[in-house]
Amino acid sequence: MKNSTTNDVQGVRVAVIGGGAAGLMAAGTAALYGASVTLFEKNPKVGRKIVITGKGRCNVTNNCSTDDFLAHVPRNPRFLYSALGAFSVQDTMEFFEQRGVPLKTERGNRVFPVSDRSLDIVDALYDYVRKAGVYLVHEAAESILTEDGAVCAVTAGGRRYPADRVILATGGASYPLTGSTGDGYRMAQELGHTVTPLRASLVPLVCEGKDCPRLQGLSLRNVGLTVQENGKTLYEDFGEMLFTHYGVSGPLILRASSHMRKWEKARYSLEIDLKPALDEQTLDRRIVSDFSEHLNADFRNALGALLPKKLIPIIVERSGIDPHAKVNSITKQQRAGLVHALKHFALKVVEPRPIEEAIVTSGGVSVREIAPRDMQSKKVRGLYFAGEIIDVDAYTGGFNLQIAWSTGYLAGSRAAEIE
């Protein structure tokens, strides 16, 4: 890719602010459509947030129908019809495979590189913009200048870069170390746009009490989870989670957090099923079988085959059974208390962790002020938006990255058009 401070004008001059998923897609697409494109990225390398997605594997998209896709977008899904129509899930998969990144579909229709390397996705995008002739400026864009109600330039590093169109793709406010520091929201507001309240989505949860700190570092696989909102079941799921010094995290928890959206007025609690493969009767029979091998042992020493060592003292406490009680003295009623503790491990949620720790930002530039057919501002001519900066977010599973690809492609292709 060329590094430059000025462009030879060829077609429409498009400035793209942000070298993440949406910005890279927008920049490369606009250039292929004939625009002269300058991409502003303040980090030394592009795609830093892409690198850390999916635990470094990069969940590229979700291999599902458009209707199923939109069902996984709780906030403003209809806004995305045109974007998904312009660049669909299948388009995304073809895009990367045609650029030498074979893909695979895993559980839940999640799509990953066969290599399990997110860097392969970043390299493909970098190659895309490089071959398209995009100019890269490693400076933080400071402001977007307008004249007669239309964009005319971007300032960065104390310099002025003329532009006929500007695509704002700076990401959200999560993971600020990757460059998502909220600058785009400020620039949008300076141009008269409304930014809806920003909240953390796909974020770890802070829990009440001392049990989570005692279990810090313990990872559980194949457990069930029920989220309750004001005492009513809100969400149920199954998967992997992690206890931390403040509460809980891990894929199962992050997915659940995206459904928890009423923090100001709702109370949330979690119920973990530590043995989801066994109903209560079957679990009781399993316990009886385990106990038969430890009849003269203390209760606290008879659960090693059933639970991780770190979890045993807490389950003993929650069961209400004396830890020193001999196994042969434990009654059927007491076993029922143990079964309940295993199937209904309850935690009260205090709050989500800070937005800086969230994978996705919920909230952003109001969709009422963006034309869904082309991602252009309804307030400023020549200003476009793409990716997480828009007030649209989805559940985990590749949906949020697909929103970046689709809105980036649509914004890039339309911004390049000569009026």
Side-chain angles (χ1 to χ4, degrees):
M1 191 187 304
K2 297 176 183 178
N3 288 270
S4 176
T5 56
T6 60
N7 283 352
D8 298 326
V9 177
Q10 299 171 350
V12 177
R13 296 171 300 183
V14 176
V16 179
I17 303 176
L24 289 166
M25 180 61 77
T29 302
L32 285 182
Y33 271 77
S36 176
V37 181
T38 302
L39 173 62
F40 295 88
E41 171 53 55
K42 59 188 174 184
N43 289 316
K45 294 183 178 180
V46 297
R48 281 190 64 182
K49 192 172 180 182
I50 300 172
V51 173
I52 64 174
T53 61
K55 292 184 176 179
R57 297 174 63 214
C58 191
N59 188 178
V60 179
T61 187
N62 193 282
N63 191 5
C64 64
S65 68
T66 297
D67 286 344
D68 284 345
F69 188 99
L70 294 174
H72 287 81
V73 182
R75 196 165 180 86
N76 302 316
R78 292 186 179 184
F79 176 80
L80 294 172
Y81 271 112
S82 294
L84 288 168
F87 199 78
S88 67
V89 168
Q90 292 306 313
D91 291 329
T92 294
M93 294 176 70
E94 289 175 14
F95 175 90
F96 287 107
E97 293 197 321
Q98 288 172 359
R99 285 164 178 80
V101 186
L103 303 175
K104 59 183 176 180
T105 301
E106 298 186 356
R107 183 177 63 85
N109 297 321
R110 291 170 167 81
V111 178
F112 294 90
V114 170
S115 66
D116 287 329
R117 294 180 73 251
S118 58
L119 281 172
D120 290 348
I121 298 298
V122 176
D123 288 346
L125 289 164
Y126 182 79
D127 195 52
Y128 179 52
V129 297
R130 180 182 61 81
K131 288 180 177 177
V134 173
Y135 292 85
L136 177 60
V137 176
H138 281 298
E139 295 280 359
E142 295 151 357
S143 61
I144 300 168
L145 306 181
T146 61
E147 192 174 273
D148 298 326
V151 299
C152 64
V154 170
T155 63
R159 307 182 75 134
R160 187 179 188 273
Y161 297 80
D164 304 304
R165 316 278 163 75
V166 176
I167 301 173
L168 203 45
T170 50
S174 58
Y175 285 125
L177 292 178
T178 65
S180 298
T181 52
D183 294 346
Y185 300 129
R186 172 186 56 77
M187 286 185 265
Q189 287 175 318
E190 288 173 352
L191 295 174
H193 274 277
T194 302
V195 174
T196 62
L198 305 178
R199 295 184 175 87
S201 185
L202 304 182
V203 67
L205 301 173
V206 179
C207 295
E208 196 175 273
K210 298 179 180 179
D211 285 350
C212 289
R214 291 169 64 190
L215 294 170
Q216 179 180 351
L218 176 64
S219 178
L220 299 177
R221 294 178 179 271
N222 303 321
V223 295
L225 176 71
T226 300
V227 179
Q228 293 191 331
E229 181 181 82
N230 293 331
K232 296 182 179 179
T233 297
L234 172 68
Y235 175 74
E236 295 179 306
D237 200 358
F238 173 88
E240 181 180 350
M241 62 168 289
L242 171 73
F243 289 99
T244 71
H245 66 281
Y246 54 76
V248 286
S249 187
L252 183 61
I253 300 301
L254 298 181
R255 290 197 296 272
S257 72
S258 64
H259 297 260
M260 303 161 72
R261 293 174 172 264
K262 300 178 181 177
W263 292 102
E264 292 83 1
K265 54 185 177 181
R267 291 174 290 103
Y268 291 104
S269 60
L270 309 178
E271 196 169 82
I272 302 163
D273 185 347
L274 298 169
K275 299 293 175 181
L278 306 177
D279 61 28
E280 295 197 358
Q281 292 75 23
T282 306
L283 179 56
D284 184 54
R285 289 196 294 271
R286 161 70 192 276
I287 291 169
V288 170
S289 175
D290 285 1
F291 279 4
S292 68
E293 299 179 13
H294 303 277
L295 290 175
N296 295 314
D298 287 355
F299 171 53
R300 64 177 183 174
N301 297 324
L303 300 174
L306 194 65
L307 293 168
K309 185 176 180 180
K310 211 167 191 177
L311 193 52
I312 290 173
I314 291 172
I315 289 297
V316 168
E317 291 170 10
R318 290 183 175 224
S319 73
I321 302 171
D322 182 348
H324 300 288
K326 297 301 179 184
V327 168
N328 58 18
S329 70
I330 294 175
T331 66
K332 182 177 181 180
Q333 185 176 1
Q334 287 176 313
R335 286 202 317 271
L338 173 59
V339 168
H340 188 272
L342 293 168
K343 299 287 287 182
H344 305 276
F345 190 95
L347 294 169
K348 288 186 178 179
V349 180
V350 178
E351 61 187 357
R353 289 291 285 176
I355 195 169
E356 291 82 6
E357 296 180 28
I359 293 177
V360 170
T361 304
S362 178
V365 177
S366 173
V367 298
R368 295 181 180 181
E369 300 168 1
I370 305 171
R373 68 183 179 277
D374 60 6
M375 298 293 126
Q376 185 171 190
S377 165
K378 294 180 179 179
K379 291 177 170 285
V380 180
R381 292 195 311 280
L383 176 64
Y384 296 75
F385 297 94
E388 195 179 348
I389 192 172
I390 303 170
D391 183 18
V392 179
D393 65 277
Y395 302 140
T396 187
F399 301 101
N400 288 291
L401 265 182
Q402 180 61 47
I403 291 171
W405 311 135
S406 294
T407 57
Y409 177 89
L410 183 56
S413 60
R414 297 298 186 268
E417 292 178 349
I418 298 174
E419 295 177 350

